[in-house]
Amino acid sequence: MAEVISTVEKEAIFDKTFECPICNREIKAKTIKTGKCKLESTDEDLRPVYHNIDSLKYDVVFCPHCGYATLKKFFDEPILPVQKKNLTEKVCNNFKGTGKEPAAYTYEESIRRHKFALLCSMVKEAKLSEQAYTCLKIAWLYRGERELYIREGAVNQEEQAKLWNEEQAYITKAYHGFSEAYIKEDFPMCGMDEVTYSYLLADLAYKTEHIKEARRWISSVISSPSASQRVKEKARDLKDVIQSTHGEEE
């Protein structure tokens, strides 16, 4: 079933102008207007859930001229000459262009743009945390698409399973990337302090069946003197879930 974009969503976005750092041409990236998204809740892995509109679909700046793409969070970070050279040779020179710019993005279109951003982050050898965060965003989009179709009763069990499997594949990539980045990079990472990052690793470890590691990360959060009560409560909730599904730690 084709996803139908609501009028509310179409009216909540506008074209924001950027300059592509690779080809130096103008980019129009669809962006949510200020105040148009109301946060309803946050998933265990920190995915924000908004009322009516999934703003996560609009987090990529994508150049329709050369194919360069990145999450908006990382757009202003400088690109080194060697990175530009690699992107030009491995991405831009093979880019075939896109069709007409849609009025709004379906999950399918947004996932495609995020995968371009992931490809570019890998080609330019961006920080491991940036690559991992992009994987996490793709996982969140697959989850959002699956939840949308479940609400609308639009997909069968097999199709739901495919979306869930895609989500899990990118959750796994995110977990491994974030784990390696923790060792090699400095905080803050992707806008997260060490406590928030550790909690996220705990949840991703749990989701990928790395239970021993999940418990270790949870313990570090709960025992941290700098952790807020809110984060500690989330860590305790996750600890309870793990104990109910895997028993007490041996």
Side-chain angles (χ1 to χ4, degrees):
M1 175 181 171
E3 180 184 342
V4 178
I5 306 294
S6 69
T7 301
V8 171
E9 182 168 334
K10 291 178 181 178
E11 292 178 347
I13 57 180
F14 72 102
D15 287 332
K16 185 174 180 179
T17 302
F18 297 83
E19 181 181 310
C20 177
I22 306 303
C23 70
N24 302 118
R25 298 175 72 175
E26 186 179 275
I27 305 171
K28 298 289 187 181
K30 289 191 166 30
T31 305
I32 301 290
K33 296 175 183 176
T34 302
K36 291 296 183 179
C37 274
K38 179 182 179 182
L39 183 66
E40 284 191 338
S41 61
T42 303
D43 287 351
E44 290 82 0
D45 58 7
L46 308 182
R47 169 200 173 217
V49 180
Y50 295 95
H51 180 66
N52 287 332
I53 304 168
D54 189 348
S55 70
L56 297 174
K57 293 195 292 183
Y58 300 95
D59 279 350
V60 165
V61 179
F62 174 69
C63 180
H65 310 295
C66 72
Y68 175 69
T70 184
L71 294 182
K72 290 176 181 174
K73 179 186 286 289
F74 306 114
F75 183 81
D76 290 329
E77 295 189 0
I79 295 179
L80 300 175
V82 67
Q83 293 176 314
K84 186 172 183 178
K85 179 177 180 290
N86 288 337
L87 286 164
T88 300
E89 292 177 352
K90 298 178 181 180
V91 176
C92 304
N93 288 348
N94 299 308
F95 183 63
K96 304 301 182 183
T98 60
K100 183 180 179 181
E101 175 74 3
Y105 301 151
T106 62
Y107 278 105
E108 182 179 3
E109 174 63 21
S110 181
I111 288 169
R112 184 180 74 87
R113 289 169 181 259
H114 277 72
K115 287 183 177 180
F116 263 101
L118 177 59
L119 171 64
C120 289
S121 71
M122 295 168 67
V123 168
K124 69 181 180 182
E125 297 183 354
K127 290 180 179 180
L128 292 168
S129 57
E130 177 179 336
Q131 297 181 44
Y133 191 71
T134 307
C135 287
L136 182 61
K137 296 294 291 293
I138 294 172
W140 288 348
L141 289 168
Y142 276 117
R143 187 184 308 167
E145 182 177 21
R146 179 168 54 88
E147 290 173 349
L148 172 66
Y149 289 149
I150 289 174
R151 288 195 302 271
E152 296 182 349
V155 293
N156 58 34
Q157 292 287 336
E158 183 180 353
E159 291 167 328
Q160 288 182 35
K162 287 180 180 179
L163 291 171
W164 188 86
N165 287 335
E166 290 284 4
E167 176 189 337
Q168 286 300 114
Y170 281 94
I171 286 286
T172 300
K173 292 177 182 179
Y175 170 66
H176 289 302
F178 279 133
S179 296
E180 190 173 353
Y182 182 86
I183 299 170
K184 297 181 177 181
E185 297 177 22
D186 297 323
F187 288 97
M189 277 190 257
C190 304
M192 291 179 281
D193 59 24
E194 186 171 358
V195 170
T196 304
Y197 194 95
S198 298
Y199 167 76
L200 177 60
L201 271 172
D203 188 78
L204 297 182
Y206 167 64
K207 283 182 166 65
T208 54
E209 294 294 318
H210 293 82
I211 304 305
K212 184 177 180 179
E213 288 81 359
R215 283 175 162 146
R216 179 169 61 84
W217 288 114
I218 288 171
S219 178
S220 73
V221 172
I222 293 175
S223 62
S224 172
S226 62
S228 67
Q229 286 303 312
R230 183 183 65 84
V231 174
K232 286 187 177 184
E233 280 302 313
K234 289 180 74 69
R236 292 189 183 100
D237 289 343
L238 180 57
K239 181 179 180 180
D240 290 342
V241 170
I242 292 175
Q243 287 180 349
S244 68
T245 56
H246 293 81
E248 294 285 345
E249 186 174 5
E250 296 180 2

